[in-house]
Amino acid sequence: QVQLVESGGGLVQAGGSLRLSCAASGRTISNYVMGWFRQAPGKERTFVAAISRSGGITYYADSVKGRFTISRDYAGNTVYLQMNSLKPEDTAVYYCAARGGAALMTGATEYDYWGQGTQVTVSS
């Protein structure tokens, strides 16, 4: 079992930045592909970014490419999502997820463990 706890969300103006953290416990995240998803009110949960077990491969949704960066800290057993140039359409609850398989996947059903989410609100 892996327990995931997100933090770092909040209210920010358009153009601003936030860094989300996902602290893992129970098992080392080096055994998992890690991903970030988001869900806006009334919408489905959608893929944002993923990072390989080694940290050497990352993949992003087109909507965040060039603005968001996913990274992982093995010593701290933590995954981060640095979000720059935020837009109002980035407003959502952001979830961290862990996948036991080796491939980077974009479907939410491919991930085995989930955090409770952290709210990000971007004002215009």
Side-chain angles (χ1 to χ4, degrees), residues 15-97:
S17 298
L18 283 174
R19 188 176 81 156
L20 305 184
S21 299
C22 172
S25 61
R27 291 185 180 177
T28 175
I29 60 171
S30 62
N31 295 324
Y32 297 89
V33 166
M34 301 299 295
W36 285 96
F37 289 75
R38 65 187 181 185
Q39 188 167 17
K43 296 188 177 181
E44 293 184 352
R45 192 170 298 189
T46 59
F47 172 78
V48 175
I51 188 167
S52 64
R53 292 172 174 174
S54 68
I57 301 172
T58 57
Y59 187 72
Y60 298 92
D62 288 342
S63 58
V64 306
K65 201 172 295 183
R67 300 188 298 123
F68 290 11
T69 303
I70 187 170
S71 61
R72 56 196 306 165
D73 171 16
Y74 293 96
N77 218 29
T78 301
V79 177
Y80 301 99
L81 185 68
Q82 177 67 43
M83 306 187 296
N84 299 327
S85 303
L86 283 161
K87 305 175 181 180
E89 51 264 42
D90 294 318
T91 295
V93 177
Y94 283 71
Y95 296 90
C96 175

Side-chain angles (χ1 to χ4, degrees), residues 31-33 53 98-103 110-113:
N31 295 324
Y32 297 89
V33 166
R53 292 172 174 174
R99 181 173 188 275
E110 301 290 344
Y111 288 75
D112 304 302
Y113 303 101

